[in-house]
């Protein structure tokens, strides 16, 4: 997962399908020099979920997996991929702390799908993911004044089945519309190649 601010690129290394990782981190790398950062260097933002107390190997059963992050108003915002609860939890990190920090829990939402990516554009949060039956969804939330997203009504779109469109793992948004990327999805009955989709902004109205 990847996000950025005016100076830094943030690369997430917190995928945790098995639920047993204890070395979650985000790489912070300057992509442009500033007065406070003359050398383009990389640092690690290390974190843990304070609610996670067990680290047993439980492949695809954990609620502490993660694939989605955005940068907003000086903080990193993470959205978990929850295999058991089938929802997501919004956490924040301080990108200026480089010792292990506790991710701060903000809010919880029952998406009924597992979140695989997030994008933020013009006060709206875009989450994509898939359900266990391979149905793929996009859900759009509006930011509140306190940088929360789950306090207002949202709009949810069914995009299709991973058996036909692939496993949607990425989303990016600009003024033209929404870009979605799908990984190869191979099963005993289908073999869908990687794909890139574009949804024009006016199609969502």
């Amino acid at each position: 997962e990847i996000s950025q601010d005016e100076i830094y690129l943030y690369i997430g290394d917190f995928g945790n399908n098995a639920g047993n990782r204890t070395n979650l981190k985000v790489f912070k790398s300057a992509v442009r020099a500033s007065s406070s950062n003359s050398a383009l260097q990389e640092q690690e933002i290390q974190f843990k979920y304070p609610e996670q107390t067990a680290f047993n190997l439980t492949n695809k059963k954990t609620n502490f997996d993660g694939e989605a992050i955005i940068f907003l108003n000086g903080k990193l915002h993470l959205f978990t991929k929850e295999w058991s609860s089938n929802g997501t939890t919004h956490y924040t990190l301080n990108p200026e702390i480089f010792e292990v920090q506790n991710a701060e829990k903000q809010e919880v939402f029952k998406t009924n799908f597992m979140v695989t990516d997030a994008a933020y554009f013009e006060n709206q949060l875009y989450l994509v993911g898939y359900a266990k039956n391979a149905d793929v969804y996009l859900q759009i939330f509006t930011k509140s004044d306190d940088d929360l997203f789950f306090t207002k009504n949202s709009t949810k779109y069914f995009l299709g089945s991973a058996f036909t469109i692939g496993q949607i793992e990425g989303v990016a948004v600009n003024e033209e519309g929404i870009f979605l990327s799908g990984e190869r999805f191979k099963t005993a009955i289908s073999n869908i190649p990687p794909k890139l989709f574009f949804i024009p902004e006016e199609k969502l109205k």
Side-chain angles (χ1 to χ4, degrees):
E1 174 59 316
I2 192 168
S3 190
Q4 69 180 76
D5 60 20
E6 293 81 2
I7 298 174
Y8 294 99
L9 192 67
Y10 301 96
I11 302 173
D13 180 13
F14 43 75
N16 190 23
N17 281 349
N20 62 342
R21 282 191 63 180
T22 57
N23 61 341
L24 306 176
K25 67 191 73 169
V26 178
F27 295 102
K28 179 180 180 179
S29 180
V31 293
R32 121 178 4 131
S34 69
S35 58
S36 61
N37 178 47
S38 57
L40 302 185
Q41 58 184 347
E42 184 177 88
Q43 296 169 295
E44 291 184 9
I45 302 166
Q46 304 174 65
F47 72 96
K48 61 182 179 179
Y49 299 110
E51 293 80 16
Q52 184 176 12
T53 58
F55 295 87
N56 301 320
L57 181 64
T58 55
N59 191 41
K60 297 183 178 180
K61 294 181 180 179
T62 182
N63 284 332
F64 297 98
D65 192 5
E67 299 181 3
I69 189 173
I70 64 169
F71 180 89
L72 176 65
N73 292 335
K75 293 183 179 181
L76 292 170
H77 298 252
L78 285 72
F79 300 90
T80 53
K81 180 182 183 182
E82 300 182 357
W83 293 89
S84 294
S85 72
N86 216 23
T88 191
T89 301
H90 172 196
Y91 287 91
T92 56
L93 297 175
N94 185 335
E96 301 300 323
I97 296 177
F98 302 107
E99 57 205 27
V100 179
Q101 61 179 289
N102 283 329
E104 295 188 12
K105 186 176 180 179
Q106 303 297 320
E107 54 187 340
V108 177
F109 189 83
K110 184 73 170 178
T111 53
N112 287 313
F113 63 88
M114 294 172 291
V115 173
T116 57
D117 199 12
Y120 179 78
F121 183 70
E122 293 187 343
N123 288 321
Q124 290 190 309
L125 173 72
Y126 299 75
L127 298 182
V128 294
Y130 55 85
K132 292 182 180 179
N133 65 357
D135 285 349
V136 179
Y137 295 95
L138 163 70
Q139 194 152 2
I140 304 175
F141 303 84
T142 300
K143 184 180 76 68
S144 60
D145 292 338
D146 49 3
D147 289 349
L148 297 178
F149 297 99
F150 304 151
T151 59
K152 298 183 178 182
N153 291 335
S154 63
T155 305
K156 187 175 184 178
Y157 298 91
F158 171 65
L159 300 180
S161 170
F163 291 105
T164 56
I165 67 173
Q167 185 170 306
I168 299 301
E169 294 279 346
V171 60
V173 184
N174 63 17
E175 63 280 353
E176 296 179 356
I178 302 172
F179 300 84
L180 302 167
S181 62
E183 291 184 358
R184 179 185 182 189
F185 187 73
K186 185 177 182 180
T187 68
I189 61 174
S190 66
N191 185 7
I192 307 302
K195 293 184 178 183
L196 180 65
F197 300 92
F198 173 66
I199 304 173
E201 189 271 338
E202 61 269 15
K203 291 291 186 181
L204 294 177
K205 294 182 178 179

mmCIF file of all heavy atoms in Angstrom, residues 2-11 26-43 45 71 76 95-96 98:
data_model
loop_
_atom_site.group_PDB
_atom_site.id
_atom_site.type_symbol
_atom_site.label_atom_id
_atom_site.label_comp_id
_atom_site.label_asym_id
_atom_site.label_seq_id
_atom_site.Cartn_x
_atom_site.Cartn_y
_atom_site.Cartn_z
ATOM 1 N N ILE A 2 0.369 2.321 -0.585
ATOM 2 C CA ILE A 2 1.186 3.512 -0.770
ATOM 3 C C ILE A 2 0.334 4.763 -0.628
ATOM 4 O O ILE A 2 -0.838 4.777 -1.000
ATOM 5 C CB ILE A 2 1.878 3.453 -2.155
ATOM 6 C CG1 ILE A 2 2.963 4.508 -2.281
ATOM 7 C CG2 ILE A 2 0.863 3.596 -3.275
ATOM 8 C CD1 ILE A 2 3.844 4.298 -3.498
ATOM 9 N N SER A 3 0.919 5.817 -0.034
ATOM 10 C CA SER A 3 0.282 7.119 0.052
ATOM 11 C C SER A 3 1.383 8.166 0.079
ATOM 12 O O SER A 3 2.568 7.827 0.098
ATOM 13 C CB SER A 3 -0.607 7.208 1.304
ATOM 14 O OG SER A 3 -1.397 8.390 1.271
ATOM 15 N N GLN A 4 1.010 9.444 0.094
ATOM 16 C CA GLN A 4 2.040 10.479 0.099
ATOM 17 C C GLN A 4 1.486 11.797 0.599
ATOM 18 O O GLN A 4 0.276 12.027 0.613
ATOM 19 C CB GLN A 4 2.619 10.683 -1.299
ATOM 20 C CG GLN A 4 1.671 11.314 -2.298
ATOM 21 C CD GLN A 4 2.320 11.495 -3.658
ATOM 22 O OE1 GLN A 4 2.477 10.526 -4.402
ATOM 23 N NE2 GLN A 4 2.696 12.725 -3.979
ATOM 24 N N ASP A 5 2.415 12.680 1.056
ATOM 25 C CA ASP A 5 2.076 14.064 1.321
ATOM 26 C C ASP A 5 2.912 14.924 0.386
ATOM 27 O O ASP A 5 3.378 14.450 -0.651
ATOM 28 C CB ASP A 5 2.282 14.407 2.807
ATOM 29 C CG ASP A 5 3.723 14.196 3.268
ATOM 30 O OD1 ASP A 5 4.639 14.148 2.413
ATOM 31 O OD2 ASP A 5 3.943 14.105 4.492
ATOM 32 N N GLU A 6 3.129 16.194 0.729
ATOM 33 C CA GLU A 6 3.844 17.080 -0.186
ATOM 34 C C GLU A 6 5.311 16.706 -0.348
ATOM 35 O O GLU A 6 5.935 17.037 -1.360
ATOM 36 C CB GLU A 6 3.750 18.533 0.307
ATOM 37 C CG GLU A 6 2.357 19.130 0.258
ATOM 38 C CD GLU A 6 1.506 18.726 1.446
ATOM 39 O OE1 GLU A 6 2.016 17.998 2.340
ATOM 40 O OE2 GLU A 6 0.321 19.112 1.495
ATOM 41 N N ILE A 7 5.887 16.039 0.629
ATOM 42 C CA ILE A 7 7.325 15.735 0.609
ATOM 43 C C ILE A 7 7.606 14.249 0.634
ATOM 44 O O ILE A 7 8.527 13.766 -0.037
ATOM 45 C CB ILE A 7 8.034 16.414 1.802
ATOM 46 C CG1 ILE A 7 7.901 17.938 1.703
ATOM 47 C CG2 ILE A 7 9.504 16.012 1.871
ATOM 48 C CD1 ILE A 7 8.455 18.669 2.909
ATOM 49 N N TYR A 8 6.808 13.484 1.381
ATOM 50 C CA TYR A 8 7.153 12.095 1.673
ATOM 51 C C TYR A 8 6.222 11.095 0.985
ATOM 52 O O TYR A 8 5.037 11.354 0.766
ATOM 53 C CB TYR A 8 7.098 11.845 3.184
ATOM 54 C CG TYR A 8 8.148 12.609 3.948
ATOM 55 C CD1 TYR A 8 7.813 13.804 4.587
ATOM 56 C CD2 TYR A 8 9.469 12.160 4.016
ATOM 57 C CE1 TYR A 8 8.771 14.528 5.294
ATOM 58 C CE2 TYR A 8 10.420 12.887 4.715
ATOM 59 C CZ TYR A 8 10.070 14.061 5.352
ATOM 60 O OH TYR A 8 11.024 14.772 6.039
ATOM 61 N N LEU A 9 6.817 9.972 0.702
ATOM 62 C CA LEU A 9 6.090 8.803 0.210
ATOM 63 C C LEU A 9 5.997 7.812 1.364
ATOM 64 O O LEU A 9 6.981 7.574 2.074
ATOM 65 C CB LEU A 9 6.857 8.178 -0.955
ATOM 66 C CG LEU A 9 6.154 7.119 -1.800
ATOM 67 C CD1 LEU A 9 5.003 7.741 -2.575
ATOM 68 C CD2 LEU A 9 7.151 6.489 -2.776
ATOM 69 N N TYR A 10 4.822 7.225 1.574
ATOM 70 C CA TYR A 10 4.599 6.262 2.652
ATOM 71 C C TYR A 10 4.236 4.916 2.039
ATOM 72 O O TYR A 10 3.259 4.810 1.293
ATOM 73 C CB TYR A 10 3.472 6.739 3.578
ATOM 74 C CG TYR A 10 3.758 8.078 4.217
ATOM 75 C CD1 TYR A 10 3.266 9.260 3.652
ATOM 76 C CD2 TYR A 10 4.523 8.170 5.375
ATOM 77 C CE1 TYR A 10 3.529 10.486 4.219
ATOM 78 C CE2 TYR A 10 4.794 9.402 5.957
ATOM 79 C CZ TYR A 10 4.296 10.557 5.374
ATOM 80 O OH TYR A 10 4.565 11.778 5.941
ATOM 81 N N ILE A 11 5.034 3.907 2.353
ATOM 82 C CA ILE A 11 4.834 2.569 1.790
ATOM 83 C C ILE A 11 4.531 1.612 2.941
ATOM 84 O O ILE A 11 5.365 1.390 3.824
ATOM 85 C CB ILE A 11 6.073 2.098 1.012
ATOM 86 C CG1 ILE A 11 6.385 3.096 -0.111
ATOM 87 C CG2 ILE A 11 5.849 0.708 0.435
ATOM 88 C CD1 ILE A 11 7.678 2.815 -0.840
ATOM 89 N N VAL A 26 5.562 1.208 8.402
ATOM 90 C CA VAL A 26 5.361 2.007 7.200
ATOM 91 C C VAL A 26 6.693 2.664 6.879
ATOM 92 O O VAL A 26 7.300 3.306 7.744
ATOM 93 C CB VAL A 26 4.281 3.097 7.405
ATOM 94 C CG1 VAL A 26 4.139 3.942 6.139
ATOM 95 C CG2 VAL A 26 2.944 2.467 7.781
ATOM 96 N N PHE A 27 7.182 2.495 5.658
ATOM 97 C CA PHE A 27 8.407 3.156 5.237
ATOM 98 C C PHE A 27 8.087 4.586 4.814
ATOM 99 O O PHE A 27 7.183 4.818 4.013
ATOM 100 C CB PHE A 27 9.065 2.407 4.081
ATOM 101 C CG PHE A 27 9.547 1.028 4.455
ATOM 102 C CD1 PHE A 27 8.821 -0.096 4.097
ATOM 103 C CD2 PHE A 27 10.718 0.867 5.168
ATOM 104 C CE1 PHE A 27 9.252 -1.362 4.437
ATOM 105 C CE2 PHE A 27 11.165 -0.399 5.522
ATOM 106 C CZ PHE A 27 10.434 -1.516 5.154
ATOM 107 N N LYS A 28 8.841 5.533 5.361
ATOM 108 C CA LYS A 28 8.679 6.944 5.044
ATOM 109 C C LYS A 28 9.900 7.392 4.253
ATOM 110 O O LYS A 28 11.019 7.393 4.764
ATOM 111 C CB LYS A 28 8.537 7.760 6.326
ATOM 112 C CG LYS A 28 8.381 9.257 6.112
ATOM 113 C CD LYS A 28 8.254 9.972 7.459
ATOM 114 C CE LYS A 28 8.093 11.478 7.274
ATOM 115 N NZ LYS A 28 7.953 12.174 8.590
ATOM 116 N N SER A 29 9.700 7.777 3.019
ATOM 117 C CA SER A 29 10.812 8.103 2.135
ATOM 118 C C SER A 29 10.574 9.454 1.473
ATOM 119 O O SER A 29 9.526 9.673 0.869
ATOM 120 C CB SER A 29 10.971 7.020 1.062
ATOM 121 O OG SER A 29 12.050 7.317 0.206
ATOM 122 N N ALA A 30 11.535 10.363 1.617
ATOM 123 C CA ALA A 30 11.401 11.683 1.017
ATOM 124 C C ALA A 30 11.568 11.581 -0.494
ATOM 125 O O ALA A 30 12.514 10.982 -0.985
ATOM 126 C CB ALA A 30 12.432 12.640 1.599
ATOM 127 N N VAL A 31 10.632 12.156 -1.205
ATOM 128 C CA VAL A 31 10.719 12.180 -2.670
ATOM 129 C C VAL A 31 11.075 13.573 -3.168
ATOM 130 O O VAL A 31 11.290 13.775 -4.348
ATOM 131 C CB VAL A 31 9.400 11.718 -3.316
ATOM 132 C CG1 VAL A 31 9.169 10.254 -3.037
ATOM 133 C CG2 VAL A 31 8.222 12.551 -2.814
ATOM 134 N N ARG A 32 11.140 14.526 -2.230
ATOM 135 C CA ARG A 32 11.585 15.866 -2.602
ATOM 136 C C ARG A 32 12.220 16.510 -1.382
ATOM 137 O O ARG A 32 11.757 16.349 -0.263
ATOM 138 C CB ARG A 32 10.392 16.625 -3.170
ATOM 139 C CG ARG A 32 9.987 17.854 -2.536
ATOM 140 C CD ARG A 32 8.800 18.562 -3.216
ATOM 141 N NE ARG A 32 8.183 17.879 -4.322
ATOM 142 C CZ ARG A 32 6.875 17.703 -4.430
ATOM 143 N NH1 ARG A 32 6.073 18.102 -3.473
ATOM 144 N NH2 ARG A 32 6.377 17.104 -5.474
ATOM 145 N N ALA A 33 13.334 17.204 -1.588
ATOM 146 C CA ALA A 33 14.068 17.817 -0.488
ATOM 147 C C ALA A 33 13.347 19.067 0.009
ATOM 148 O O ALA A 33 12.664 19.753 -0.744
ATOM 149 C CB ALA A 33 15.484 18.166 -0.935
ATOM 150 N N SER A 34 13.507 19.341 1.309
ATOM 151 C CA SER A 34 12.960 20.552 1.904
ATOM 152 C C SER A 34 14.021 21.136 2.822
ATOM 153 O O SER A 34 15.096 20.562 3.014
ATOM 154 C CB SER A 34 11.684 20.242 2.691
ATOM 155 O OG SER A 34 11.993 19.493 3.843
ATOM 156 N N SER A 35 13.717 22.287 3.424
ATOM 157 C CA SER A 35 14.683 22.921 4.320
ATOM 158 C C SER A 35 15.006 22.046 5.517
ATOM 159 O O SER A 35 16.095 22.104 6.074
ATOM 160 C CB SER A 35 14.139 24.271 4.793
ATOM 161 O OG SER A 35 12.890 24.096 5.442
ATOM 162 N N SER A 36 14.052 21.208 5.932
ATOM 163 C CA SER A 36 14.278 20.333 7.089
ATOM 164 C C SER A 36 14.755 18.950 6.667
ATOM 165 O O SER A 36 14.984 18.091 7.501
ATOM 166 C CB SER A 36 12.988 20.207 7.907
ATOM 167 O OG SER A 36 11.965 19.644 7.118
ATOM 168 N N ASN A 37 14.864 18.721 5.381
ATOM 169 C CA ASN A 37 15.235 17.396 4.899
ATOM 170 C C ASN A 37 16.080 17.540 3.628
ATOM 171 O O ASN A 37 15.615 17.361 2.532
ATOM 172 C CB ASN A 37 13.972 16.577 4.606
ATOM 173 C CG ASN A 37 14.324 15.205 4.051
ATOM 174 O OD1 ASN A 37 15.179 14.531 4.597
ATOM 175 N ND2 ASN A 37 13.692 14.828 2.966
ATOM 176 N N SER A 38 17.333 17.923 3.839
ATOM 177 C CA SER A 38 18.206 18.127 2.695
ATOM 178 C C SER A 38 18.639 16.813 2.070
ATOM 179 O O SER A 38 18.948 16.750 0.893
ATOM 180 C CB SER A 38 19.436 18.934 3.119
ATOM 181 O OG SER A 38 20.114 18.272 4.177
ATOM 182 N N ALA A 39 18.663 15.762 2.869
ATOM 183 C CA ALA A 39 19.045 14.437 2.358
ATOM 184 C C ALA A 39 17.794 13.589 2.176
ATOM 185 O O ALA A 39 16.956 13.505 3.068
ATOM 186 C CB ALA A 39 20.007 13.754 3.331
ATOM 187 N N LEU A 40 17.659 12.973 1.029
ATOM 188 C CA LEU A 40 16.511 12.114 0.778
ATOM 189 C C LEU A 40 16.790 10.766 1.436
ATOM 190 O O LEU A 40 17.567 9.963 0.949
ATOM 191 C CB LEU A 40 16.300 11.958 -0.725
ATOM 192 C CG LEU A 40 16.093 13.263 -1.496
ATOM 193 C CD1 LEU A 40 15.765 12.960 -2.949
ATOM 194 C CD2 LEU A 40 14.999 14.115 -0.883
ATOM 195 N N GLN A 41 16.124 10.497 2.549
ATOM 196 C CA GLN A 41 16.397 9.299 3.321
ATOM 197 C C GLN A 41 15.103 8.546 3.614
ATOM 198 O O GLN A 41 14.021 9.078 3.472
ATOM 199 C CB GLN A 41 17.103 9.656 4.631
ATOM 200 C CG GLN A 41 16.300 10.631 5.485
ATOM 201 C CD GLN A 41 17.037 11.064 6.722
ATOM 202 O OE1 GLN A 41 18.038 10.477 7.097
ATOM 203 N NE2 GLN A 41 16.541 12.094 7.381
ATOM 204 N N GLU A 42 15.284 7.311 4.044
ATOM 205 C CA GLU A 42 14.136 6.470 4.366
ATOM 206 C C GLU A 42 14.135 6.171 5.854
ATOM 207 O O GLU A 42 15.173 5.906 6.439
ATOM 208 C CB GLU A 42 14.216 5.161 3.570
ATOM 209 C CG GLU A 42 13.016 4.254 3.765
ATOM 210 C CD GLU A 42 13.101 3.012 2.899
ATOM 211 O OE1 GLU A 42 13.700 2.026 3.361
ATOM 212 O OE2 GLU A 42 12.583 3.035 1.772
ATOM 213 N N GLN A 43 12.938 6.226 6.453
ATOM 214 C CA GLN A 43 12.776 5.918 7.866
ATOM 215 C C GLN A 43 11.623 4.935 8.019
ATOM 216 O O GLN A 43 10.803 4.781 7.116
ATOM 217 C CB GLN A 43 12.503 7.205 8.658
ATOM 218 C CG GLN A 43 13.667 8.191 8.633
ATOM 219 C CD GLN A 43 13.287 9.545 9.198
ATOM 220 O OE1 GLN A 43 12.456 10.244 8.631
ATOM 221 N NE2 GLN A 43 13.889 9.926 10.308
ATOM 222 N N ILE A 45 8.317 3.831 10.257
ATOM 223 C CA ILE A 45 7.304 4.111 11.267
ATOM 224 C C ILE A 45 6.789 2.766 11.752
ATOM 225 O O ILE A 45 6.060 2.069 11.041
ATOM 226 C CB ILE A 45 6.157 4.950 10.666
ATOM 227 C CG1 ILE A 45 6.705 6.259 10.081
ATOM 228 C CG2 ILE A 45 5.081 5.230 11.711
ATOM 229 C CD1 ILE A 45 5.723 6.979 9.190
ATOM 230 N N PHE A 71 -2.885 9.392 3.748
ATOM 231 C CA PHE A 71 -2.331 10.483 4.551
ATOM 232 C C PHE A 71 -3.343 11.624 4.550
ATOM 233 O O PHE A 71 -3.852 12.024 3.502
ATOM 234 C CB PHE A 71 -1.006 10.977 3.970
ATOM 235 C CG PHE A 71 -0.394 12.108 4.762
ATOM 236 C CD1 PHE A 71 0.458 11.844 5.817
ATOM 237 C CD2 PHE A 71 -0.701 13.431 4.471
ATOM 238 C CE1 PHE A 71 1.004 12.874 6.564
ATOM 239 C CE2 PHE A 71 -0.171 14.470 5.209
ATOM 240 C CZ PHE A 71 0.699 14.199 6.264
ATOM 241 N N LEU A 76 -1.278 9.449 9.368
ATOM 242 C CA LEU A 76 -1.547 8.304 8.525
ATOM 243 C C LEU A 76 -2.806 7.618 9.047
ATOM 244 O O LEU A 76 -2.938 7.385 10.248
ATOM 245 C CB LEU A 76 -0.374 7.328 8.541
ATOM 246 C CG LEU A 76 0.907 7.839 7.876
ATOM 247 C CD1 LEU A 76 2.061 6.887 8.170
ATOM 248 C CD2 LEU A 76 0.714 7.995 6.377
ATOM 249 N N PRO A 95 3.189 10.167 11.838
ATOM 250 C CA PRO A 95 4.299 9.894 10.927
ATOM 251 C C PRO A 95 5.626 10.490 11.372
ATOM 252 O O PRO A 95 6.643 10.311 10.697
ATOM 253 C CB PRO A 95 3.830 10.511 9.607
ATOM 254 C CG PRO A 95 2.919 11.613 10.016
ATOM 255 C CD PRO A 95 2.234 11.132 11.258
ATOM 256 N N GLU A 96 5.640 11.182 12.534
ATOM 257 C CA GLU A 96 6.875 11.767 13.042
ATOM 258 C C GLU A 96 7.493 10.949 14.153
ATOM 259 O O GLU A 96 8.531 11.326 14.699
ATOM 260 C CB GLU A 96 6.599 13.195 13.544
ATOM 261 C CG GLU A 96 6.048 14.140 12.484
ATOM 262 C CD GLU A 96 6.993 14.309 11.317
ATOM 263 O OE1 GLU A 96 8.222 14.343 11.541
ATOM 264 O OE2 GLU A 96 6.511 14.391 10.174
ATOM 265 N N PHE A 98 9.268 7.400 15.320
ATOM 266 C CA PHE A 98 9.958 6.290 14.669
ATOM 267 C C PHE A 98 10.318 5.157 15.633
ATOM 268 O O PHE A 98 10.980 4.205 15.241
ATOM 269 C CB PHE A 98 11.211 6.818 13.951
ATOM 270 C CG PHE A 98 10.877 7.882 12.945
ATOM 271 C CD1 PHE A 98 11.173 9.206 13.198
ATOM 272 C CD2 PHE A 98 10.212 7.564 11.775
ATOM 273 C CE1 PHE A 98 10.835 10.195 12.288
ATOM 274 C CE2 PHE A 98 9.863 8.533 10.856
ATOM 275 C CZ PHE A 98 10.174 9.854 11.112
#
